[in-house]
Amino acid sequence: GIKNANHTCNQIMQQKGEMVHINEAQALVYKNIAYSANQLAIASYCSMEQFEDVVDKIQAHQESTLGLSSSDFPMGCLDKEILDRIIEVSLDHRRNIMPHVPFSKDEEDQIREDYWEKMAIKACDPDIAAILEMPEWVDFFNGLEKETTC
């Protein structure tokens, strides 16, 4: 355990049932869409309050109207060749800093599998340009323009 961390642990245990986990990457996608729409003059807002309102409307449209989640947006990802090179460099680095502790074929396979699971999420971002061209989002922003003015 962590020395003198019993108060922190007790506090966490007391709040365990109350804690709400928000995936910041998921929340960020709605902000990125709102920001990009404003930059492209598809949506306008003049204050942080209006920005947050647009973000809330985007999230409501995706989740309530369309019945989708933030992870259902089209994604743009790094090329597989780049990702392959990253894992090779990482494995080479591990071999160089710990040559006395070689890993087996099974361990290397597990490292690669874990890497690809993580990269499937972290090496991809929502494709904002593609999202803003989708008919359901074009219609949404056309309707939003009439509501939000500066």
Side-chain angles (χ1 to χ4, degrees), residues 25 75-78 83 114-126:
M75 303 296 275
C77 304
L78 289 175
L83 297 174
D114 292 347
Y115 169 80
W116 283 109
E117 279 181 24
K118 289 180 176 93
M119 286 302 107
I121 297 167
K122 295 184 179 200
C124 299
D125 285 316

Side-chain angles (χ1 to χ4, degrees), residues 12 14 16 22 28 38-39 42-43 51 56 75 83 90 96 98 122 126 129 132 141:
I12 290 171
Q14 287 174 357
K16 194 173 183 180
I22 298 172
L28 188 59
N38 183 261
Q39 293 298 305
I42 296 171
F51 170 75
D56 290 344
M75 303 296 275
L83 297 174
S90 298
N96 289 335
M98 298 174 59
K122 295 184 179 200
L132 294 175
F141 283 109

Side-chain angles (χ1 to χ4, degrees), residues 45-128:
Y45 48 83
C46 304
S47 67
M48 196 58 171
E49 184 179 312
Q50 284 181 337
F51 170 75
E52 291 297 336
D53 185 52
V54 170
V55 170
D56 290 344
K57 287 176 181 176
I58 291 168
Q59 183 172 359
H61 184 68
Q62 176 74 355
E63 295 175 8
S64 299
T65 306
L66 300 177
L68 301 170
S69 75
S70 62
S71 59
D72 291 320
F73 286 112
M75 303 296 275
C77 304
L78 289 175
D79 290 334
K80 185 179 181 324
E81 295 79 28
I82 293 170
L83 297 174
D84 284 337
R85 185 66 187 130
I86 291 170
I87 187 61
E88 292 307 321
V89 168
S90 298
L91 290 169
D92 288 347
H93 181 69
R94 159 61 169 75
R95 287 183 194 102
N96 289 335
I97 63 169
M98 298 174 59
H100 55 285
V101 187
F103 38 73
S104 69
K105 174 82 169 104
D106 286 343
E107 289 171 319
E108 184 173 332
D109 289 346
Q110 185 62 51
I111 290 168
R112 288 178 186 279
E113 184 179 323
D114 292 347
Y115 169 80
W116 283 109
E117 279 181 24
K118 289 180 176 93
M119 286 302 107
I121 297 167
K122 295 184 179 200
C124 299
D125 285 316
D127 186 341
I128 303 295

Side-chain angles (χ1 to χ4, degrees), residues 32-44:
N32 285 342
I33 292 169
Y35 176 79
S36 297
N38 183 261
Q39 293 298 305
L40 296 169
I42 296 171
S44 62

